[in-house]
Amino acid sequence: MTAEIGQAAIYLSVLSGLWAIGFLSIGLRTRNRNAIRSGRNAVVATFILISIATGALIYGFVTDDFSMRYVVEVSSAAQPLLYKITALWGRMSGSLLFWLWLLTVAGMIVVWQNHRHNKETNDTLSDYALIPMAVVQLFFIILVTGIIEGVYNPLDRFPNGQMAPDGAGMNPLLQTPSMAFHPPTLYIGWISLTVPFAFAVGALASGRIGSDWILRSRRWMLFSWIILTIGITLGGNWAYRELGWGGYWAWDPVENASFMPWLLGTAYLHSMMIQEKRNMFKLWNILLVTLAFQFTLLGTFITRSGIISSVHAFAQSDIGGYFLGFILASTAGVIGLIIYRWKRLKSANRLESLLSRESAFVLNNWLLVGLTLIILWGKTSPVYSVLCVSASVFVIAAISAEFYRGAKLRAKRQETSFLNGLNLLIQRNKRRYGGYIVHIGIVIVYIGIMGSKGYFLLESKSLRIGESMEVGQFQLTMKDSFEKEFANYRRTGIVFDVAKNGKQIGTMEPARHFYHKTGQGEPDTIESAIRHFGVNDFYISLGSIPPDVKTGGIVNVQAYYNPLIGVVWIGVAVMVLGGIVAIAEKSEHNKDSQ
């Protein structure tokens, strides 16, 4: 009965979505406050209905309801509880429902966040923004109803009361702690980009092209940037630990699809300050926000259309065409609004010179994009890496000097300690100094990338028990094999004695996992062994392990030395810290003078 309640909630949400769009549009056009209020309530109703549907599906996973088609496809009785819950986004139908639920959460927050402001000022900008949000929600609602070819309702049951004895289980690559958090983190980052996009569309529709929509959506964009930073890093960490190739970024098409909204969001966070201060770049900011939002949909289209091959991609489906159609239609709508408001989008000021602060912001945007192009070159020579690291150290030193001078001056004025002076400096302008911290983090990440890509060592060798190999200053000796049985998989691995410069430092146990539900007899995941030496890693992964390994069978072993890999993760942490400092600055809702 739970699944049927969830299905009914999805069907009712079609009505609430249409109600929100219709009544908000009518109310704003006729200035009817009751109609506007009714439209807002419909947005809240959509959140409640989709929450019921999502809860019903999670209940089906937790109770092993194998009469539900989606539960059978992505779960099993032996699957740990954590992965039963995360199976919600394990395949297409459930991931679309989860995406939709997050969209409705964002809509609910916008209603709640702006309720008091709307009541005090009678301002309608957020109501204009709710219309495009409701349109995006309605698109996903229609997808999860199952009426579109290529995707079925995730709450569907098998016909005639059929029930499977057990489920097929989730993709083994997704049954890791990293993948329990990586996809939802990315989803949250992507979906929160809908809010700045909605405010941009709302600004165009209402004719309020000044900075008010930027002030309203600034924290949303910063939040999205922070979450995307974390999500992308979790994905890189997952690839590093689970795919057995010793790397964390492969320029996979789906990796790029997640990275491009981050780059566009980064550019927007810089250029929006110019609009706030100088009333410039109005059109550019709207385009950046629109592109960032559209690239989130593009990534979904790529993973579901079958046009590319990727470890992230779902099976080929007709649903990709619907996403492409929605991308084109929504882009055409924004272009139409831009043409309609063209005169009001012209900048009130121009760049004064190439040495102006505004020009520096523009140049900074291009430098960030240029940085990504440099990384695209792949392996670089050690000499070039040294030059890049030297330049990066110079940037960190320059920014650190800015902090030092400001903190020292503040401490002197207030007659307090240097640390208190530093705290007062940051508190005075969190946005500015949070941005400085972010830039330090970016440079630290860059140093880590150059070190780990420019100086890594790799040795591959086929070994029998008792044989050894060397990787730089490390010596490996294949000591023994082992096998352990778990509820839903079997772990088979090798024990290595590890020495560094001839001194024994311990053992490492890389392995392969065989998941019972695959039934293919082939290993499903590579479980690399990683040992940390400060910011450097020693990393071992295995090829296939033959049944006769204890009696002379050969195992293919790959061993990596990854210098400065820990610097990458440290740099990301510094970036996130800077983002948190910047988002903590209070923003004022200024009335738009345009």
Side-chain angles (χ1 to χ4, degrees):
M1 187 63 183
T2 305
E4 286 71 24
I5 294 173
Q7 285 182 323
I10 290 176
Y11 296 136
L12 286 173
S13 68
V14 175
L15 298 178
S16 64
L18 290 170
W19 188 285
I21 296 168
F23 274 78
L24 284 169
S25 300
I26 293 170
L28 290 168
R29 185 176 180 83
T30 62
R31 299 184 179 180
N32 186 319
R33 301 303 302 172
N34 289 330
I36 294 174
R37 191 176 299 109
S38 181
R40 294 179 198 154
N41 291 338
V43 172
V44 176
T46 302
F47 161 73
I48 294 172
L49 290 168
I50 298 303
S51 295
I52 291 171
T54 306
L57 183 55
I58 293 175
Y59 182 79
F61 284 125
V62 173
T63 59
D64 295 327
D65 187 349
F66 297 123
S67 67
M68 298 173 65
R69 178 180 172 184
Y70 187 72
V71 174
V72 171
E73 287 187 355
V74 293
S75 186
S76 67
Q79 199 160 288
L81 178 61
L82 173 63
Y83 301 127
K84 287 182 180 179
I85 295 173
T86 59
L88 173 64
W89 51 84
R91 296 193 69 176
M92 185 187 299
S93 296
S95 68
L96 290 174
L97 178 60
F98 181 58
W99 188 297
L100 171 60
W101 179 72
L102 291 174
L103 276 172
T104 64
V105 171
M108 177 70 178
I109 292 173
V110 170
V111 172
W112 170 78
Q113 198 174 48
N114 293 283
H115 173 72
R116 186 173 182 180
H117 182 73
N118 290 334
K119 188 175 181 180
E120 293 176 352
T121 65
N122 202 31
D123 179 60
T124 57
L125 179 58
S126 61
D127 296 314
Y128 275 100
L130 283 174
I131 296 175
M133 290 194 70
V135 170
V136 177
Q137 289 175 8
L138 183 61
F139 171 69
F140 278 87
I141 290 170
I142 292 172
L143 290 178
V144 299
T145 58
I147 63 176
I148 295 294
E149 186 177 355
V151 63
Y152 64 86
N153 189 309
L155 290 155
D156 277 354
R157 293 191 187 274
F158 289 113
N160 304 318
Q162 297 178 18
M163 178 178 287
D166 199 356
M170 190 163 59
N171 184 333
L173 287 173
L174 301 181
Q175 295 190 48
T176 66
S178 294
M179 290 305 284
F181 299 101
H182 164 59
T185 305
L186 274 186
Y187 280 14
I188 294 170
W190 283 338
I191 289 161
S192 54
L193 284 172
T194 307
V195 179
F197 167 74
F199 272 100
V201 174
L204 288 170
S206 64
R208 298 170 57 182
I209 317 296
S211 298
D212 197 27
W213 73 271
I214 287 180
L215 294 173
R216 300 286 190 87
S217 60
R218 182 181 70 84
R219 281 189 171 181
W220 280 97
M221 180 58 80
L222 274 169
F223 173 78
S224 176
W225 185 89
I226 292 169
I227 298 300
L228 280 176
T229 301
I230 295 171
I232 291 170
T233 305
L234 287 174
N237 189 268
W238 169 80
Y240 181 62
R241 294 180 178 277
E242 297 297 330
L243 298 184
W245 59 290
Y248 47 86
W249 193 265
W251 297 107
D252 179 283
V254 180
E255 290 177 336
N256 295 339
S258 68
F259 191 42
M260 285 185 284
W262 183 91
L263 287 174
L264 292 165
T266 303
Y268 170 76
L269 286 171
H270 286 84
S271 64
M272 73 177 186
M273 289 188 281
I274 302 176
Q275 181 171 341
E276 289 182 58
K277 303 295 184 183
R278 296 291 307 279
N279 203 18
M280 299 168 61
F281 293 176
K282 296 178 183 178
L283 176 60
W284 179 241
N285 285 325
I286 287 175
L287 290 176
L288 280 176
V289 168
T290 299
L291 286 172
F293 167 73
Q294 298 294 9
F295 268 105
T296 66
L297 297 181
L298 180 64
T300 309
F301 161 69
I302 288 173
T303 57
R304 291 165 173 83
S305 63
I307 64 172
I308 55 95
S309 176
S310 165
V311 296
H312 302 83
F314 290 86
Q316 183 172 353
S317 168
D318 295 336
I319 196 175
Y322 294 103
F323 271 95
L324 183 59
F326 186 74
I327 291 170
L328 294 175
S330 56
T331 301
V334 173
I335 292 173
L337 287 170
I338 288 174
I339 294 172
Y340 181 65
R341 301 292 185 187
W342 183 255
K343 290 183 179 180
R344 306 194 68 180
L345 286 168
K346 292 182 179 179
S347 294
N349 300 293
R350 296 181 180 275
L351 292 176
E352 296 175 354
S353 71
L354 293 177
L355 299 178
S356 66
R357 183 182 180 188
E358 291 77 17
S359 297
F361 274 114
V362 175
L363 178 61
N364 188 58
N365 282 352
W366 284 107
L367 288 175
L368 287 172
V369 176
L371 175 62
T372 64
L373 295 177
I374 290 172
I375 298 170
L376 270 172
W377 293 349
K379 292 183 179 180
T380 56
S381 69
V383 174
Y384 179 77
S385 293
V386 169
L387 292 175
C388 291
V389 170
S390 299
S392 299
V393 171
F394 174 77
V395 172
I396 292 177
I399 296 175
S400 299
E402 176 77 12
F403 274 99
Y404 177 78
R405 287 193 298 267
K408 188 176 181 180
L409 180 60
R410 182 84 31 187
K412 184 177 180 180
R413 287 177 179 176
Q414 300 294 326
E415 296 183 353
T416 185
S417 68
F418 176 81
L419 288 178
N420 283 336
L422 179 62
N423 179 58
L424 291 171
L425 180 73
I426 295 174
Q427 293 296 327
R428 183 174 65 88
N429 194 332
K430 294 177 182 177
R431 186 175 177 185
R432 176 183 179 183
Y433 290 101
Y436 283 165
I437 295 171
V438 168
H439 285 86
I440 290 175
I442 289 174
V443 174
I444 292 173
V445 169
Y446 187 51
I447 292 172
I449 291 172
M450 290 298 101
S452 61
K453 293 296 185 184
Y455 292 92
F456 83 98
L457 300 176
L458 166 63
E459 294 291 339
S460 299
K461 194 171 183 179
S462 297
L463 298 178
R464 295 181 176 89
I465 289 178
E467 295 181 337
S468 301
M469 64 183 291
E470 292 190 4
V471 186
Q473 58 189 328
F474 293 92
Q475 299 83 43
L476 293 180
T477 301
M478 188 166 154
K479 183 179 180 181
D480 199 1
S481 66
F482 65 89
E483 190 170 291
K484 297 178 182 178
E485 198 71 30
F486 294 87
N488 63 329
Y489 66 89
R490 174 169 49 88
R491 180 180 178 92
T492 302
I494 301 293
V495 179
F496 287 91
D497 283 332
V498 183
K500 183 178 181 182
N501 295 324
K503 183 179 179 181
Q504 192 73 21
I505 58 175
T507 61
M508 296 176 67
E509 298 183 358
R512 310 272 284 192
H513 282 183
F514 296 78
Y515 283 77
H516 305 320
K517 281 297 176 181
T518 60
Q520 302 297 320
E522 293 294 328
D524 299 293
T525 62
I526 299 171
E527 302 299 319
S528 304
I530 304 172
R531 191 175 183 113
H532 307 294
F533 295 90
V535 295
N536 309 317
D537 279 0
F538 187 61
Y539 180 110
I540 309 173
S541 64
L542 302 176
S544 58
I545 303 175
D548 63 344
V549 63
K550 288 184 177 292
T551 57
I554 295 175
V555 179
N556 294 319
V557 181
Q558 286 190 319
Y560 302 78
Y561 176 64
N562 290 327
L564 299 184
I565 184 70
V567 174
V568 175
W569 317 128
I570 292 170
V572 171
V574 173
M575 290 167 63
V576 171
L577 174 62
I580 293 172
V581 170
I583 203 174
E585 181 175 285
K586 295 181 180 180
S587 59
E588 298 180 1
H589 291 311
N590 298 326
K591 297 192 72 173
D592 195 341
S593 60
Q594 301 300 310

